[in-house]
Amino acid sequence: MIKAVRGTRDLLPPETALWNFVESAVRDVFRAYNFQEIRTPIFEPTELFARGVGEDTDVVSKEMYTWEDGERFNDKKIMDEWLRANESDDPSHVQAGRVNVQGSPPFLAKLKELGVQLQVWRGIQVPSGALAGRVEFVAFRPKVSSDAITALIEARKVAKGQYSQDFGNLAILLRLVVPDEAARKSPWVASKDIEIEGFAGNYFSSSQSLTLRPENTAGVVRAYIEHKMWDRGLNKLYYIGPQFRRERPQKGRYRQFYQIGAEVIGPPSAGSESPARDAEVLEMLATLLDRLGITGWNLELNSVGCAQDRAAFNEALRKALEPVVGTMCVDCQRRAVTNPLRVFDCKVPEDQPIIDTLPRISQFLDEGCRKHFEAVQQILTQVGVRFSLNDRLVRGLDYYTRTAFEFTHGALGAQNAILGGGRYDGLSEALGGPAAPGIGFAIGEDRLVMSLQASASGESVLKRPDVYVAALGAGMNGEAARLARELRRHDLVVDLGDENFRLKKSFEAATKAGAKYILIVGENEVKADAFALKNLATGEQVSVPRAQLAQKIQE
RNA sequence: GUGGGAAUAGCUCAACUGGUAGAGCACCGGACUGUGGCUCCGACGGUUGCGGGUUCGAUUCCCGUUUCCCACCCCA
């Protein structure tokens, strides 16, 4: 049986009704704040995420779905390189390679399994020692194996120190090497006797590394720059859609997951930097959660300052950690090196007293950032949105500035954050655009729906049929369809049976569908042009003339 | 990627120290030919995730593998 791939899932009714409920509430609420929808592609150049999210983040370095798009190879370059590589080798493997590739189905199957494509050129002359007459040149190309691409990215990273430049021009040439011994023994060399040797180079004449978006902010900012959206002043944009991360699945975290997000972005002159924007976004989120009936949420707020503030803070943090880190848990010791800010996420009870003594970003805010943060708080207080300050709340990525926030909710397992966001005044510039301060957030829709399921089920938000039209007897399907069409034009939800159903079965079907009424369309009714309409809840049944049916049902 | 737990009918779950698979619900049909929900009766439904091993015999014990769940890592 073919199953949904690991970490993905089907959303089935009635649960989908809950998703629709959430999304329509989102559209309603966001609209009231004059946000408009933007839809960006679900895949983008890999470079966008490498630069936008950060190359050294886990998301980019190991959690993306990335592939090489384009099959156009520089064949001459591959052949030249292959021949050069073989001049110094024992040419016997050329012969072995030819024989076995052509004649060894298990080996070909193995290649297919690895996602490698085989291409053979005939008639290439190879150096002495090869078979007389025709020989074959054999090259292997990785198709869209993400493992192969990941391996290449790592290899290039090591080789060049960086891979941010020239990111899209990757290829690999795999060379078949068969040990002489094995080749002599049998012309049908088993796949385990074959070694595949790989080396990387620029063999694509034109191709591009693409990635399924792991988040949507980078795409939105890319679109902002590409379409010169600053010419419209302030932009308030929202999106709803799938995102992809190659993570190990756990509660509420899937490899295809859904995010609802919004961004306020524009030139500083349009007010995009104003604390009023931060407060507006936060107040909108509070309104949305209330509207969805989510109770018990908590807004946690912090300011991570400007780039300079954070540099000073990082320095101080490292200094403060140095003498004490040895006594902390192994995770913290690792974090202290890789990402000191993450030490604040530590949940080990013994480490808490140490963490309490560490410096806080709030001590390093400059005048502007402090005033900005105070203004945000003041507006929130004035509009009556509850919040709590959490000076441990930090953001790992460089372009984040000033306001950072999370809405948390209990009963969500270890991942208690239902949405998070913050200000990213430096992102547009990091992507090559003009200064465009912005603030945004992303809601994990999967988790949002999950927390709703506790209170409201899909059933409760599902619109049940108003009426079930039961055709009764031969030739009645047409009449029933006609009636259903008329009723649907009055915005009624109508379900339709079949003339072959016995009436009992129609009643059962109507009850199961949850219809309010059942409408019987039989020979008698058609003759009289008046139809038996029964209220399934009360049992009351009346005969209603055709012209009054819609009105009667709508009552 | 790491660790722990799990996988039996469409769903929720049984099956004693190894003895050849069962219930409730759902679905379909009948009791009931144009009147549902309730009741009763019946039928359907499985290579026990997959592969290997031990055994006369494996759902059960062992190994591998895949997937799911929970957590770690990380994170909007």
Side-chain angles (χ1 to χ4, degrees):
Chain A
M1 182 174 46
I2 299 175
K3 298 199 285 189
V5 303
R6 174 176 201 168
T8 70
R9 58 177 177 158
D10 302 305
L11 299 172
L12 307 176
E15 194 191 341
T16 42
L18 202 48
W19 286 73
N20 283 327
F21 166 73
V22 167
E23 289 172 15
S24 72
V26 163
R27 291 176 195 283
D28 279 359
V29 171
F30 288 7
R31 186 64 207 120
Y33 293 77
N34 198 27
F35 278 78
Q36 292 180 279
E37 183 172 9
I38 182 171
R39 301 194 188 193
T40 65
I42 66 168
F43 57 90
E44 298 269 5
T46 305
E47 187 186 358
L48 174 65
F49 304 116
R51 288 171 59 179
V53 180
E55 291 174 28
D56 295 323
T57 62
D58 276 16
V59 170
V60 169
S61 61
K62 63 184 190 197
E63 291 174 357
M64 299 201 302
Y65 280 101
T66 295
W67 72 98
E68 199 61 37
D69 182 62
E71 300 271 344
R72 294 154 293 185
F73 289 75
N74 187 337
D75 289 350
K76 185 166 190 311
K77 192 168 179 184
I78 297 176
M79 284 190 287
D80 288 349
E81 195 135 343
W82 183 81
L83 289 170
R84 207 179 313 125
N86 282 296
E87 269 168 354
S88 56
D89 284 352
D90 175 359
S92 64
H93 71 271
V94 175
Q95 174 193 347
R98 176 175 60 107
V99 171
N100 294 307
V101 166
Q102 293 302 314
S104 177
F107 175 61
L108 291 176
K110 181 75 183 169
L111 282 182
K112 197 176 169 192
E113 211 178 288
L114 289 168
V116 171
Q117 237 182 4
L118 170 67
Q119 194 150 79
V120 178
W121 289 270
R122 293 171 188 280
I124 304 296
Q125 195 62 48
V126 296
S128 62
L131 270 188
R134 291 151 57 82
V135 293
E136 287 164 310
F137 173 85
V138 183
F140 303 96
R141 296 168 178 175
K143 233 183 151 191
V144 288
S145 156
S146 60
D147 284 347
I149 298 292
T150 304
L152 278 169
I153 289 174
E154 287 307 311
R156 282 179 69 96
K157 210 171 171 181
V158 171
K160 295 185 68 178
Q162 290 266 333
Y163 57 84
S164 58
Q165 309 255 317
D166 194 27
F167 193 90
N169 201 19
L170 292 169
I172 191 168
L173 179 64
L174 297 168
R175 199 154 48 97
L176 179 65
V177 180
V178 181
D180 287 356
E181 195 63 20
R184 264 196 291 279
K185 259 187 214 155
S186 160
W188 294 71
V189 179
S191 59
K192 64 181 176 195
D193 296 325
I194 292 173
E195 199 182 312
I196 295 174
E197 187 180 282
F199 50 98
N202 293 327
Y203 302 114
F204 289 90
S205 59
S206 171
S207 73
Q208 193 175 20
S209 179
L210 300 179
T211 293
L212 293 180
R213 62 187 188 196
E215 53 91 44
N216 216 333
T217 298
V220 169
V221 176
R222 193 222 76 232
Y224 172 83
I225 296 167
E226 183 171 340
H227 301 290
K228 300 190 184 345
M229 290 170 75
W230 51 83
D231 283 348
R232 305 178 198 181
L234 189 67
N235 294 275
K236 297 165 106 174
L237 304 166
Y238 77 89
Y239 59 84
I240 299 175
Q243 321 289 337
F244 305 84
R245 279 185 208 170
R246 200 174 182 289
E247 296 178 292
R248 185 127 172 195
Q250 58 176 295
K251 189 173 184 63
R253 305 181 76 171
Y254 300 90
R255 289 183 167 188
Q256 175 174 340
F257 58 102
Y258 295 82
Q259 282 190 336
I260 298 165
E263 318 287 349
V264 183
I265 184 169
S269 59
S272 61
E273 223 167 358
S274 164
R277 297 289 78 72
D278 304 52
E280 185 180 19
V281 163
L282 289 165
E283 188 267 318
M284 178 172 81
L285 285 165
T287 300
L288 176 65
L289 293 179
D290 289 342
R291 164 84 173 267
L292 289 172
I294 292 178
T295 53
W297 53 261
N298 184 36
L299 167 57
E300 299 190 9
L301 205 57
N302 195 21
S303 174
V304 297
C306 321
Q308 306 91 291
D309 300 342
R310 232 182 10 264
F313 169 60
N314 259 317
E315 188 54 36
L317 190 57
R318 272 181 208 279
K319 276 205 182 115
L321 277 170
E322 211 172 323
V324 295
V325 72
T327 64
M328 300 180 78
C329 67
V330 286
D331 281 340
C332 282
Q333 299 194 17
R334 183 178 40 71
R335 290 182 186 122
V337 178
T338 59
N339 196 346
L341 291 179
R342 289 282 149 225
V343 169
F344 288 110
D345 289 339
C346 182
K347 291 160 192 130
V348 178
E350 291 76 34
D351 288 355
Q352 300 311 308
I354 299 174
I355 294 171
D356 287 340
T357 68
L358 295 174
R360 297 303 154 88
I361 183 69
S362 52
Q363 299 155 355
F364 293 82
L365 298 184
D366 68 23
E367 181 75 5
C369 291
R370 203 168 44 73
K371 281 201 163 143
H372 190 275
F373 192 38
E374 279 166 6
V376 173
Q377 294 176 56
Q378 195 197 335
I379 300 172
L380 285 177
T381 305
Q382 275 184 296
V383 296
V385 172
R386 289 170 292 124
F387 62 90
S388 55
L389 295 178
N390 177 359
D391 58 9
R392 287 184 173 201
L393 184 64
V394 291
R395 293 278 110 130
L397 309 183
D398 286 347
Y399 54 73
Y400 275 111
T401 54
R402 296 187 167 174
T403 310
F405 58 89
E406 278 181 6
F407 281 74
T408 57
H409 189 260
L412 279 176
Q415 280 72 46
N416 62 350
I418 203 166
L419 70 90
R423 189 163 264 290
Y424 45 81
D425 292 345
L427 179 56
S428 174
E429 285 146 296
L431 291 176
I439 181 167
F441 61 85
I443 305 172
E445 191 176 3
D446 303 76
R447 276 194 234 163
L448 181 64
V449 168
M450 197 183 297
S451 61
L452 277 176
Q453 273 166 337
S455 46
S457 70
E459 300 280 351
S460 65
V461 296
L462 184 64
K463 175 101 169 86
R464 292 293 181 179
D466 295 302
V467 60
Y468 182 97
V469 178
L472 183 64
M476 289 299 122
N477 269 345
E479 286 294 339
R482 225 178 102 200
L483 269 170
R485 183 170 161 87
E486 287 167 18
L487 295 175
R488 285 167 179 152
R489 284 182 174 175
H490 286 87
D491 285 335
L492 291 168
V493 179
V494 180
D495 207 354
L496 193 54
D498 186 272
E499 64 187 23
N500 291 320
F501 290 178
R502 288 178 299 104
L503 192 59
K504 173 186 162 59
K505 181 167 174 174
S506 291
F507 266 84
E508 285 170 350
T511 303
K512 199 190 299 178
K516 289 191 199 72
Y517 289 94
I518 185 168
L519 180 68
I520 299 169
V521 183
E523 215 172 327
N524 301 339
E525 283 80 2
V526 171
K527 260 184 210 154
D529 206 34
F531 299 82
L533 182 70
K534 182 169 183 177
N535 184 317
L536 284 165
T538 64
E540 180 197 3
Q541 181 169 332
V542 287
S543 179
V544 183
R546 174 186 292 269
Q548 293 165 29
L549 273 173
Q551 191 201 343
K552 177 73 185 168
I553 292 166
Q554 271 160 343
E555 276 172 11

